[in-house]
Structure formats: C-alpha cells, structure tokens
Amino acid sequence: MKQLSKKIFIFLCLILTSKVFADSFTDIIQDLTIQTACIGQYSSTQAGGGWRDDPHDYYTPQMMAERFKQMSGNMTRTTTFYGVCFDYAQFAWQDIDTYTTLYNENGMYEKQFWIADVHGDSNTIRLSIPTTKSNASAVQNGVYIKTYPNGNRSIKAHRLKNEGERATYHAWLWIERVDGVWFWIDPTWTDNLGYVVYGYVSNSGEEIQCKPNKKYCINYPEYLNSLPSPPELGQVKAPSNSSNSNNRAETIKDAGSNWLVNTFVDVDYKGMDNRVGLIFQLDIPLSVISDESLSFNKMGFNLEMPCLTDRVALGLGIEYLHNITEDSKLHGGLFKFDFIKRFTNNTAWCLGCGLGVRFDTSVPGGLPEAKNAFYNAGYFAWDIETGLLFNLSSFSTKIQVSYNNIIGFSVGIGIGLLFETM
C-alpha cells in the first residue's frame, strides 16, 4: 500500500514535468530531496552553533501532509526530525532503501546509493551506509555506519549557492544513474535555501550544481537560471560484477572510479582531475651512490610529459644516458613510455620501458662491447623502470628505480609541473 501510494504520486509528478527533463531519474531524486526537506528541520544548536538562530525552514510536513498520510496507510503519523545534515542524508538514504525497486524503475543503477560526507578536506568525499552495531566501522551523529577501505573518492564537494567555499563537515547523498553518471542531492541545503540543491559529478572530479525544476522550488533566486541542466540520459551501462549481490562491500567496488579494480588497458578515471605536465628527471647510477661520490661520467637525463585525463593515464618522454670510463665512451638516446596507475588525484604508480640506440665513440664503428647476455644488444638501448608520481597543487615530483644497458641500475629523481586542465 505504501509503495503503491508513492508510485502514484511520483507518476503524477513525472507527467507534470515530462516536458522539462529528459529522464524520470532527475525528477525522482528532486522529489526525494524535497520530501526529505519537508520532514526535517535544521538545528543550529545540535550542529554546534547554538549562538545562532535556526535557519528558515522552507519545507514543512504540512506541505506533504496528504502524501504522508497515504504513504502511512492506516497510521497517519509522520515521522519527522529536528537535527543536522547527517539526519537529512540518512532519511533520504532510507527512502531509497525502502523503495529500491521504484528508484530502479526510474533510472537508478542497481544498488548504487550512498551517504556522502566530508570532514575538513572538501576534496575527499567518503561513501558509507547506515548499518547495525555489529557491522559498523564508525559512528556518525550517533548512527552506526559502515565505511569501506575503497569508499573514499577524490572529488571536490559542491559549493554553497554555487560560489564561495566548498562544503566541509557536511553530509548528503550520492546516487548513480543507469548510464553511469553520478548525481548528488543535498536535502539540508534544500530545506535551508528553499530550492532543490542537487547536481552531478563531472569527469573532471567536481560536484556540479544543476538548475532545479521550478515546480519543486519555493524560493527561486535569479542565479539558478545560470546553472547547467543535468546531463542527458546516455547509453545504459551493462550489469556490474555485483549486480546480484546484497553485500555492500562488493557493491561499492562498482561505485565510481576505483584503481583497485581497473587494469592498465581498461581504465575509467571518471571523477579525477585532468592533469598534463612536464617533468625533468636526473638518473643517478646505484654504483655512484654506493661510492658516495657524485660523478657526472655516469648519468641520465629524462624529460617526460605525463598525461592523466578521465580516459588516459600515460607518460611519454625522451632520455639521454652516458657512461664515460677509461675504456669506453658509451652514449644512448631512448624514447620512453610509462603506464600510470592513479591512486588519487595527487599520487600515481608508474611502470615504464624505453627503447632507443646506443653507441661507443671510443671505438671504430661505435659498437659497444658485449659484456654479458643482458648487456649485449648491439646498437639497441633499452630500459625498464617503476616509480611513484606525486603532485601538490601544480608542483610535481617523481621518484623511480630503473635498469638499462648503458648505466645499469639507477635511481631517478624528477621535478616539474603538473597542471589541472578542463
């Protein structure tokens, strides 16, 4: 009875708004946002700001009294709350959990709905779900929640009124659409501002606020007209590896980009910043380090351009190496190629190789001496390497170890710039 009443109400809403939005998903999540706002009232005191009055409560239970009555069946009591942002997020999450089939029918992808929250770092969003005490890994606002080792996302949280500082110490909801686009809804700010605050997660790793449907708004400031519309519904995703699983620990593996479950050739870095840069690197042989005397007679110089976008994470570069001794003057030039596995926006693991030419200027013909099976490659120069790439703002550094047939084992230290692009 409850689900049937909710279906009828949602169906009527979708008919009224079908000319405005391309898919029913954006309507049902906006409807959820205002429903949650109606049953909640924000408490500044409980949020730690008792010296301020509570913000205006734009959405009230009376606005949906008839709807709540139908949903409650014979019991006409509506459960409301006077609390903080996590309470809004929890109530919205609970509605999807209760009516999962209805949300799936209107475009939600499988069981991909999560409470999203940030603490002091607005660039790291944590995904979690309410749970029992025995399964909990943390307590949020007195509620047991389950967090996951791969539940953090390097995503920039949305801004208040689409300007100023990004959200901190805040909670809201993430929901995935069937085409793989992640949406977010913020019932707390909706209740405090009088219009639906929601949007999607862009490929560049940022929560983008979208223009709400006016039918859901009590207050409609002019700036809302400048907001983008939600992305149109694209191609439906194939079922995930956890599509038939009730284990949320398995489900979250399919929730957004996760380097743990990607391969080098099948990578989707949706949700991460696009970065392109230039790094200069110096390679110092281990033999020189062990002698504790820096010598420029055995050295490598590397210039690399890492390219980390939402679809590609590769590095291209060139390297010059020389090994000058009493017996030989060995030189080499290589073209380098790196596979890059991103951990976060700021860290990555690199695995690469290089191929080029080498020659010895101290002997006629320039053919290097064949010292052993690995070293004997004629005029060919080769290199294998692995390392870590770090960046802080636009500054970047790379640390790696490598082996090549010109200077042998070496340690590389690189510095450069890594810029965020659109």
Side-chain angles (χ1 to χ4, degrees), residues 61 191 212 270 282 313 361 388:
D191 203 14
K270 184 183 294 183
L282 185 68
T361 57
L388 295 173

Side-chain angles (χ1 to χ4, degrees), residues 210-340:
C210 289
K211 184 166 92 172
N213 188 334
K214 282 187 177 181
K215 293 181 180 292
Y216 294 123
C217 301
I218 298 172
N219 178 35
Y220 199 86
E222 183 62 30
Y223 96 90
L224 293 178
N225 290 319
S226 65
L227 297 178
S229 297
E232 293 185 1
L233 181 65
Q235 183 176 357
V236 175
K237 285 176 58 177
S240 69
N241 295 329
S242 60
S243 59
N244 297 317
S245 174
N246 290 320
N247 185 347
R248 295 290 271 178
E250 292 297 320
T251 304
I252 200 172
K253 292 180 181 179
D254 300 307
S257 175
N258 178 9
W259 69 274
L260 287 170
V261 295
N262 287 329
T263 64
F264 282 122
V265 295
D266 184 18
V267 177
D268 183 0
Y269 291 111
K270 184 183 294 183
M272 292 206 178
D273 290 341
N274 297 328
R275 297 179 182 272
V276 176
L278 195 65
I279 296 176
F280 175 77
Q281 179 175 301
L282 185 68
D283 290 331
I284 305 173
L286 290 180
S287 59
V288 171
I289 297 175
S290 62
D291 292 340
E292 298 182 354
S293 59
L294 182 62
S295 171
F296 290 100
N297 290 333
K298 295 178 70 175
M299 197 70 67
F301 304 91
N302 190 331
L303 189 64
E304 180 180 352
M305 183 180 73
C307 179
L308 298 85
T309 71
D310 57 351
R311 288 290 176 185
V312 178
L314 299 173
L316 300 176
I318 54 176
E319 184 173 27
Y320 164 73
L321 303 117
H322 65 251
N323 187 350
I324 310 299
T325 67
E326 295 180 356
D327 301 323
S328 63
K329 296 180 180 180
L330 192 60
H331 303 265
L334 298 88
F335 176 76
K336 306 289 288 293
F337 182 88
D338 273 353
F339 296 98
I340 302 177

Side-chain angles (χ1 to χ4, degrees), residues 327-331 358-369:
D327 301 323
S328 63
K329 296 180 180 180
L330 192 60
H331 303 265
R358 63 177 185 157
F359 52 92
D360 189 340
T361 57
S362 66
V363 299
L367 182 63
E369 179 185 355

Side-chain angles (χ1 to χ4, degrees), residues 325-393:
T325 67
E326 295 180 356
D327 301 323
S328 63
K329 296 180 180 180
L330 192 60
H331 303 265
L334 298 88
F335 176 76
K336 306 289 288 293
F337 182 88
D338 273 353
F339 296 98
I340 302 177
K341 178 66 72 174
R342 298 178 71 175
F343 299 163
T344 68
N345 271 321
N346 301 317
T347 58
W349 170 51
C350 308
L351 179 65
C353 61
L355 188 64
V357 296
R358 63 177 185 157
F359 52 92
D360 189 340
T361 57
S362 66
V363 299
L367 182 63
E369 179 185 355
K371 296 183 178 180
N372 53 56
F374 290 101
Y375 203 80
N376 185 15
Y379 289 106
F380 289 102
W382 55 266
D383 173 279
I384 55 174
E385 62 186 37
T386 185
L388 295 173
L389 180 66
F390 306 93
N391 76 277
L392 179 62
S393 186

Side-chain angles (χ1 to χ4, degrees), residues 21 38 69-70 76 177 181 215 242 263 288 380 382 421:
F21 291 93
C38 282
K69 174 183 175 182
Q70 295 297 323
T76 57
R177 195 169 63 180
V181 178
K215 293 181 180 292
S242 60
T263 64
V288 171
F380 289 102
W382 55 266
T421 64

